[in-house]
Amino acid sequence: MDPIFTPEQLAEIKEYHFPWYVRSAVVPLINLGLLGLMLGVLNKPYHRFAEATAARLDRRFSALRTAPGSRVFLKVFDRLWGGSGWGAALIFALSLQLTFTVLFFPADVYFSYILEHRYGMSTYTPMRYLGDTFKGVAMGCMLVACLVFGLYGLARRIKRWWLVLGVPVAVLMLLASSMIDPYRGRLFYEQKPLEAGPLRTQLTALLARADITFADIVVEKTSVVSKRVQAYFAGQGPTRTIVLNDVILREFTEGEVLAAVAHEAGHVNESKWPGRIASSLALVLFLFIIDRLLRLSASRGWFGTTQFADIRTVPALMLLFFMVTTVFGPISGAFSREREYEADRFALRLTGDPVTFRQMLVKAARVNKMDPEPPRWQVLKGMSHPPIGERIAAISQP
């Protein structure tokens, strides 16, 4: 049986992944240090800056408070926040977000642009890279605004805000969030239906055997930024869509595309409700813990807080989120890797063609430069997929 990589390919892959492993080991420590710095040293200066900036803006644009259109707009924010002062809160939270963005920007450019180009994995042009980076920053700022008004604003106005916020969001996670998945990719990539032909016919027949209904099969033009192959299912029920990127259609044979989609079909047949219910309950519990943290901070004056749901506790919430994801990341990764193995087994039962399935995995590993044997600590830290070498070995066993 042919090896996955030649010695030259393997050496290049190890060189490519080494900086990523260093980053994976170092970034959590950097984040922890930055959050500690934000809580212990920079919290007060940032808050003073936010209050001073908000006061200057309020004086300069005071006419907006009485203008017919903007008056209504600003009153809506007053109501969402539970009074005045939301400007300083928003500036404070956005300042923290942008600080992390600026500090990590050089590393992000190196890893997502320079390193990817150096090893032939990226087709990003500088302007498109900057455009997508700007979209990412804008989306991050929108999430921060949702945090300020949706969490802090609600907590200031409603006693059991964690139930009022947590239950609807949990229900949304259970029923609706996955249905909008097919539309997220369109923010960054052009999509068009897969043209009629043998491949579309074979995919339709494959999914009929798997008893999976779907709305469409689309091709996502990711080759404008990357040379990686990709296939996935997006959405649920009436919005379920099979997404193939244009690279996989160029690099894979029709049989290998079928094998890749068969693997993704295995994920569709997973029992998702236990995980979704557990995630929804965990969200409500996490919001309750945040409520306890906000109340404890207010009662003891931590971080300079003077009232419940003081915006100065944002770094503490970031630290809490960091600790939760660090602790539960390995557990989540272990479950995810087992699901990948089960999806492989499902694909083999569905296609009955282990030879083509192995060829698909080998080609994906070569095109995407997957490390067949990453450091064990990296796997246990929370890798969502098993090492490609282990996956290939598993399907090769009788």
Side-chain angles (χ1 to χ4, degrees):
M1 192 172 292
D2 294 336
I4 304 174
F5 303 107
T6 66
E8 293 77 13
Q9 290 172 329
L10 185 59
E12 182 187 38
I13 285 171
K14 292 295 184 180
E15 289 178 0
Y16 167 65
H17 280 275
F18 179 73
W20 289 100
Y21 296 148
V22 173
R23 185 188 195 190
S24 179
V26 171
V27 164
L29 300 177
I30 295 175
N31 277 324
L32 189 60
L34 286 174
L35 289 172
L37 193 64
M38 291 290 182
L39 284 170
V41 178
L42 299 179
N43 200 304
K44 290 182 180 179
Y46 268 63
H47 191 255
R48 285 197 298 267
F49 165 78
E51 287 188 321
T53 303
R56 285 196 299 269
L57 291 173
D58 190 54
R59 289 193 299 269
R60 184 165 185 175
F61 299 102
S62 57
L64 295 177
R65 283 283 177 185
T66 55
S70 57
R71 179 180 57 189
V72 176
F73 183 75
L74 293 174
K75 282 185 177 180
V76 169
F77 282 101
D78 287 343
R79 180 163 295 184
L80 288 172
W81 180 247
S84 60
W86 56 265
L90 187 59
I91 292 171
F92 177 82
L94 287 174
S95 297
L96 294 178
Q97 166 73 12
L98 294 175
T99 296
F100 275 84
T101 300
V102 170
L103 289 176
F104 282 102
F105 183 70
D108 290 339
V109 171
Y110 173 75
F111 282 96
S112 59
Y113 188 85
I114 297 174
L115 188 65
E116 294 291 285
H117 276 82
R118 181 179 298 167
Y119 287 90
M121 298 302 297
S122 176
T123 56
Y124 256 127
T125 63
M127 290 306 298
R128 186 178 183 96
Y129 177 78
L130 290 175
D132 283 353
T133 299
F134 177 78
K135 288 180 186 177
V137 172
M139 292 174 65
C141 290
M142 290 178 62
L143 289 174
V144 168
C146 291
L147 171 72
V148 171
F149 293 105
L151 192 153
Y152 280 87
L154 196 65
R156 288 162 57 88
R157 292 180 288 114
I158 300 175
K159 185 175 181 180
R160 289 184 174 83
W161 65 272
W162 52 276
L163 275 177
V164 175
L165 177 64
V167 172
V169 173
V171 171
L172 186 66
M173 288 172 58
L174 282 171
L175 303 177
S177 62
S178 59
M179 297 186 69
I180 66 174
D181 283 345
Y183 310 104
R184 294 176 182 172
R186 298 177 190 177
L187 293 173
F188 294 91
Y189 306 114
E190 175 189 346
Q191 292 183 352
K192 62 180 182 180
L194 176 67
E195 61 185 21
L199 179 59
R200 189 177 185 105
T201 300
Q202 292 179 72
L203 286 171
T204 301
L206 177 80
L207 294 171
R209 294 200 304 272
D211 196 26
I212 294 174
T213 58
F214 61 94
D216 201 358
I217 307 172
V218 302
V219 179
E220 191 170 71
K221 192 176 180 181
T222 63
S223 61
V224 295
V225 302
S226 174
K227 294 183 180 180
R228 286 180 171 82
V229 296
Q230 187 178 37
Y232 62 96
F233 279 73
Q236 292 290 331
T239 68
R240 181 179 291 130
T241 304
I242 306 158
V243 183
L244 307 172
N245 74 344
D246 55 340
V247 183
I248 200 172
L249 297 180
R250 185 176 68 237
E251 297 288 344
F252 281 17
T253 65
E254 288 186 357
E256 290 163 352
V257 173
L258 289 171
V261 173
H263 168 85
E264 298 304 323
H267 291 305
V268 175
N269 278 275
E270 292 171 357
S271 179
K272 295 184 175 62
W273 284 105
R276 289 177 181 173
I277 293 172
S279 298
S280 300
L281 294 175
L283 172 66
V284 176
L285 176 62
F286 184 64
L287 291 176
F288 175 74
I289 294 172
I290 289 176
D291 179 77
R292 298 297 98 183
L293 175 61
L294 295 178
R295 295 189 184 282
L296 192 60
S297 299
S299 65
R300 300 194 177 184
W302 290 348
F303 323 120
T305 56
T306 57
Q307 59 182 330
F308 175 67
D310 194 304
I311 198 65
R312 281 170 281 194
T313 55
V314 167
L317 266 59
M318 295 169 67
L319 179 60
L320 177 63
F321 181 77
F322 169 82
M323 293 171 62
V324 169
T325 54
T326 300
V327 170
F328 289 99
I331 301 173
S332 174
F335 280 107
S336 178
R337 292 192 297 275
E338 182 53 40
R339 289 196 299 269
E340 293 299 326
Y341 281 126
E342 182 54 40
D344 284 349
R345 292 189 285 267
F346 178 91
L348 291 172
R349 294 193 298 270
L350 182 62
T351 63
D353 188 356
V355 174
T356 302
F357 192 81
R358 184 185 188 279
Q359 290 173 351
M360 180 273 295
L361 288 179
V362 170
K363 189 172 288 186
R366 290 173 178 171
V367 174
N368 290 359
K369 286 186 168 57
M370 300 179 187
D371 188 349
E373 296 179 344
R376 201 64 199 166
W377 66 264
Q378 178 70 12
V379 177
L380 298 177
K381 184 172 178 282
M383 279 181 59
S384 61
H385 287 60
I388 194 67
E390 295 180 12
R391 288 179 65 185
I392 293 173
I395 66 168
S396 300
Q397 294 174 357

